[in-house]
Amino acid sequence: GELNMQVLRELRACLVRAGGNALAAEPDHWGLTIGFGRLLQAQGRLDEVEPLLRRALEGRENQLGASHPKTLASVDNLATLLKAQGRLGEAEP
């Protein structure tokens, strides 16, 4: 409802202020990026979610390593999205 739209506007403003490069480099922003993606996904706005999840995954891989639990959670988030889009075959092993 209206509250979700307000939250979306605020999150989008935070992400814009941080900038795309900052999101990939700042651990504090990964959770915000993922949360924003989940909210968009819940609203069925799947096309807007993928770049956010990929950005968070890239940041976590670069900063934490590929086998870190938070990185693996990001892999799962992306796989879940691809499955919801009927594109699970595109998920990397």
Side-chain angles (χ1 to χ4, degrees):
E2 181 57 33
L3 180 58
N4 280 349
M5 292 307 296
Q6 287 176 333
V7 170
L8 272 176
R9 284 191 293 272
E10 290 299 318
L11 284 172
R12 188 178 306 272
C14 287
L15 293 173
V16 167
R17 281 193 300 272
N21 292 334
L23 291 175
E26 294 295 330
D28 291 342
H29 294 148
W30 301 330
L32 176 63
T33 302
I34 293 166
F36 184 48
R38 285 183 181 154
L39 186 55
L40 290 172
Q41 190 168 352
Q43 293 182 337
R45 297 164 65 177
L46 303 182
D47 291 342
E48 296 177 61
V49 178
E50 185 175 352
L52 298 173
L53 295 183
R54 288 193 183 276
R55 198 175 301 145
L57 174 57
E58 177 185 346
R60 284 182 167 172
E61 282 179 338
N62 290 337
Q63 297 291 323
L64 303 174
S67 62
H68 191 280
K70 288 186 178 184
T71 303
L72 296 175
S74 288
V75 170
D76 183 64
N77 290 336
L78 183 57
T80 300
L81 173 68
L82 292 173
K83 181 179 178 183
Q85 291 176 316
R87 299 171 42 211
L88 190 56
E90 294 178 35
E92 296 178 24

